[in-house]
Amino acid sequence: MAVDYKKLGLVNSREMFKRAVDGGWAVPAFNFNNLEQLQAIIKATSDLKSPVILQVSKGARKYANQTLLRYLAEGAVEYAKELGCNHPEIVLHLDHGDSFETCKSCVDFGFSSVMIDGSSLPYEENVALTRKVVDYAHQFDVSVEAELGVLAGVEDEVQSEVSHYTKPEEVIDFATRTGCDSLAISIGTSHGAYKFTPEQCTRDPKTGRLIPPPLAFDVLEEIEKKLPGFPIVLHGSSSVPEEYVDIINEHGGKLPNAVGIPEEQLRRAAKSAVCKINIDSDSRLAFTAGVRLTFDEHPEYFDPRQYCGKAREFMEDLYKHKITDVLGSDNKLAQLD
């Protein structure tokens, strides 16, 4: 018997995606694994009256326990209300589900949205698997994200050496036959903190920092023409902020040549049919920067609340910056009172 996510106070992503596409902004999709990340996400989105998608990867489910995650999500709704956000819009979403069984388990456990990632499969197998997940999830009004095209990089169990851009000529057939609610595409984003090799980048002659290649907006525009108004998703869209990488490197870390997606490109994407932008690595970097800085300044600390507190502060600042300055999702709740 499936848990009804609506009784947990959660929503699916369909209505917020429609508003985002129509309004030229994007919903933040933040991955979380622990309490501090969740606190920072809910504080930032509640203060700024932003819808939010709480993303849980297969690795996060294993790390945090899916039962605890469900109750954390239910608690997040109540915490948002406690912070004065009377009508929060919170989605609990499975990120990169790799099988029908994983997606079914999440639907049954109270997730309001799932992603089935069949992008590494042959085209027809991806269609069949996605359709199977859609048929099951839609019985419970759970929204389904699918993926077409392959992203390079590493995130939990998801990894690929090379990327393959989404083929615009396939998207109409895929969306029609699968019935998916949104589509993750590949236009040059990638997973992790090392999204590009130094060879793929140019270097700023003044700073020596890596400048990544631009996203393939021509592919995105072709997809928009094929599927006007259809919700598009960008994975691997962390910008790998230099300030956090610098803090980590200055306080005992070693992240040479870490580089992400420039925020001006994400702003451009958010104004298009891209209505969901996934951000995970940036949060990890902010957390790690806070912990490393605190340990360096206070080697006597041993209470997790002391060093995780700074990490939580850094993450909240990061989330608020993304919401207001990159995604434009502040003050976009259906009911702002």
Side-chain angles (χ1 to χ4, degrees), residues 47-94:
D47 285 356
L48 296 173
K49 301 292 190 285
S50 170
V52 67
I53 295 170
L54 298 175
Q55 296 206 142
V56 177
S57 66
K58 185 180 176 184
R61 284 178 83 217
K62 186 176 179 182
Y63 177 81
N65 179 271
Q66 66 177 2
T67 304
L68 280 173
L69 287 169
R70 181 178 80 221
Y71 287 105
L72 281 171
E74 184 177 12
V77 174
E78 296 308 313
Y79 179 41
K81 293 176 180 176
E82 189 179 295
L83 290 169
C85 184
N86 297 322
H87 304 283
E89 294 177 45
I90 299 173
V91 176
L92 182 61
H93 175 74
L94 170 67

Side-chain angles (χ1 to χ4, degrees), residues 85-320:
C85 184
N86 297 322
H87 304 283
E89 294 177 45
I90 299 173
V91 176
L92 182 61
H93 175 74
L94 170 67
D95 190 23
H96 286 292
D98 60 352
S99 68
F100 171 77
E101 289 73 24
T102 299
C103 292
K104 180 181 183 299
S105 173
C106 286
V107 172
D108 293 346
F109 262 80
F111 281 58
S112 58
S113 180
V114 294
M115 177 198 184
I116 179 63
D117 182 359
S119 60
S120 63
L121 299 172
Y123 180 78
E124 287 298 330
E125 289 181 34
N126 187 3
V127 169
L129 176 60
T130 302
R131 180 78 240 182
K132 186 176 181 183
V133 171
V134 166
D135 286 344
Y136 186 78
H138 280 185
Q139 295 178 77
F140 305 98
D141 201 25
V142 170
S143 45
V144 178
E145 175 186 330
E147 183 162 347
L148 199 53
V150 179
L151 272 66
V154 179
E155 180 186 29
D156 287 355
E157 293 93 345
V158 182
Q159 56 183 310
S160 176
E161 291 287 325
V162 295
S163 65
H164 301 286
Y165 286 172
T166 303
K167 297 175 183 174
E169 62 270 20
E170 292 179 345
V171 295
I172 297 176
D173 179 72
F174 186 86
T176 304
R177 288 172 61 195
T178 63
C180 63
D181 300 289
S182 60
L183 185 63
I185 63 170
S186 173
I187 58 168
T189 56
S190 62
H191 294 298
Y194 298 92
K195 298 188 183 299
F196 307 97
T197 64
E199 293 74 29
Q200 293 174 294
C201 303
T202 55
R203 282 196 186 271
D204 185 317
K206 292 180 180 176
T207 65
R209 293 188 184 275
L210 296 175
I211 301 171
L215 298 180
F217 281 101
D218 56 330
V219 175
L220 173 59
E221 287 162 7
E222 279 301 307
I223 291 170
E224 287 182 296
K225 287 177 189 172
K226 302 281 188 187
L227 292 173
F230 194 82
I232 301 298
V233 176
L234 283 190
H235 283 244
S237 297
S238 284
S239 56
V240 187
E242 292 172 356
E243 63 264 35
Y244 297 129
V245 173
D246 288 346
I247 290 171
I248 291 169
N249 289 337
E250 288 163 10
H251 296 277
K254 194 173 183 181
L255 292 175
N257 296 322
V259 63
I261 309 299
E263 289 189 339
E264 61 268 20
Q265 296 197 43
L266 297 176
R267 286 188 198 99
R268 179 178 170 185
K271 289 179 169 61
S272 70
V274 173
C275 62
K276 172 179 181 272
I277 293 182
N278 291 14
I279 296 167
D280 186 6
S281 295
D282 286 355
S283 172
R284 298 179 185 193
L285 291 166
F287 191 104
T288 302
V291 171
R292 282 198 174 276
L293 177 65
T294 305
F295 274 143
D296 222 11
E297 293 179 345
H298 296 279
E300 76 279 10
Y301 280 178
F302 65 92
D303 184 342
R305 291 172 296 183
Q306 293 172 311
Y307 51 86
C308 286
K310 175 61 74 174
R312 185 176 63 190
E313 180 186 317
F314 277 13
M315 288 189 294
E316 184 184 332
D317 289 345
L318 168 76
Y319 296 137
K320 286 185 172 178

